[in-house]
Amino acid sequence: MTAERATALFDQVASVYDEVLPFFAGFGEQHMEWLAPAPGTRVLDLGAGRGALTGAALARGCQVTAVDCAPGMVERIAAQYPDVHGTRVMDAHRLDFPDSSFDLVCAGFVVHLLDDPAAAAQEVRRVLAPGGVFSFSVPGAVEDAPEWEFYSALFREFQPRIPAGEGRLSRPLDEQQLLVTAGFTDVGDADIEQRLPVPDADTFWNWALSHGSRAFIDALPADSRSEFEARVRAELSTMDPIVFASGASLWRGTSPA
Ligand SMILES: C[S@@+](CC[C@H](N)C(=O)[O-])C[C@H]1O[C@@H](n2cnc3c(N)ncnc32)[C@H](O)[C@@H]1O
């Protein structure tokens, strides 16, 4: 069920995704720096979106294939990155590639959205060559940014106003267990952060509507949605300048040789 909602939502936002603020591109660059793949590495970007990881891997001379369940994302990534080896509309749970096709499968902010992350991890292992790496990012904490605690607190406060089965696309995930259970070894993780200058409150609100959090905002009853927006804008009005502090966790595991 989440898969259909995710496809519809990300297709809806594809034209503006990562265009309002370079939020995912920034994390994608840090993620690829952490992985540091050699030129020529065969990379699959799983749930590629607008290509935050694809772009960073291409810049390192990798051979990149990008797939996503949202056709609007795939169309745009193909147009934006002519050097990409292949782009396909594909569900992460059923990868239409032969065994051992890739040296690195990376997934930026995708795995926590999946209906069945364990099934997807098994598919990733199948398409990875022995010794290949599976790496993904999930939203994480940010240190020393108490002024941004209001944002996640608002999501928690407004959550009960959303009808069951709607709203957030993300689910709780035990990342370590996911990798270990799927048979990956040398499991490791790292926390990263970024601080993005935001020109004004309108830009921040447009950013909130340009990615997955839109599912939450759209699912609020109309009066609650207006209240949520007003509360966000009130907090932003106390910041000068507005610098959006956010964090992510990176995970990796190796497919046994
Ligand atoms: C938060 S976005 C991240 C996009 C990109 N990786 C990035 O870092 O900006 C999540 C992406 O995963 C895709 N996605 C969600 N569920 C998927 C699935 N089951 N199979 C393939 N892609 C999926 C969405 O369409 C969306 O483009």
Side-chain angles (χ1 to χ4, degrees):
M1 189 56 204
T2 312
E4 287 85 36
R5 290 179 54 223
T7 303
L9 186 277
F10 285 105
D11 219 33
Q12 181 191 358
V13 300
S15 65
V16 287
Y17 185 89
D18 229 15
E19 297 264 339
V20 183
L21 291 174
F23 177 89
F24 294 98
F27 279 126
E29 273 170 30
Q30 287 194 58
H31 191 167
M32 211 40 77
E33 254 169 51
W34 184 63
L35 293 170
T41 300
R42 295 169 302 164
V43 175
L44 173 63
D45 186 357
L46 191 61
R50 292 290 299 274
L53 285 168
T54 290
L58 285 171
R60 288 177 171 269
C62 298
Q63 177 186 292
V64 185
T65 303
V67 301
D68 198 285
C69 65
M73 293 292 198
V74 174
E75 254 170 52
R76 286 174 175 84
I77 210 172
Q80 190 173 345
Y81 296 102
D83 292 344
V84 82
H85 188 63
T87 51
R88 307 256 298 270
V89 175
M90 201 177 290
D91 184 346
H93 300 92
R94 285 174 293 280
L95 298 179
D96 186 16
F97 296 109
D99 296 359
S100 301
S101 298
F102 300 101
D103 309 305
L104 170 63
V105 176
C106 54
F109 301 97
V110 177
V111 177
H112 63 300
L113 305 177
L114 298 177
D115 286 333
D116 190 347
Q122 284 299 342
E123 272 293 81
V124 168
R125 246 201 93 179
R126 184 184 65 73
V127 303
L128 270 175
V133 169
F134 177 32
S135 182
F136 59 88
S137 60
V138 291
V142 59
E143 302 267 320
D144 301 324
E147 71 279 20
W148 284 97
E149 282 167 14
F150 85 90
Y151 196 51
S152 38
L154 272 183
F155 280 85
R156 285 194 298 276
E157 180 187 333
F158 280 68
Q159 173 66 47
R161 306 188 192 185
I162 291 182
E166 294 180 34
R168 269 181 197 283
L169 297 166
S170 59
R171 301 155 176 226
L173 181 69
D174 184 333
E175 295 88 356
Q176 169 112 13
Q177 195 190 352
L178 175 75
L179 288 166
V180 170
T181 305
F184 291 96
T185 60
D186 301 321
V187 171
D189 67 310
D191 292 329
I192 57 173
E193 296 185 354
Q194 69 181 354
R195 282 167 162 76
L196 272 180
V198 180
D200 50 40
D202 285 347
T203 303
F204 187 83
W205 186 248
N206 287 336
W207 173 78
L209 295 175
S210 71
H211 67 108
S213 65
R214 180 163 193 149
F216 181 96
I217 295 167
D218 281 355
L220 288 167
D223 53 343
S224 294
R225 201 179 315 138
S226 307
E227 186 187 339
F228 184 90
E229 178 179 353
R231 297 268 300 275
V232 171
R233 286 179 181 276
E235 292 285 347
L236 296 177
S237 72
T238 67
M239 301 179 190
D240 186 15
I242 304 172
V243 180
F244 183 34
S246 57
S249 297
L250 307 179
W251 286 86
R252 63 176 287 161
T254 303
S255 186

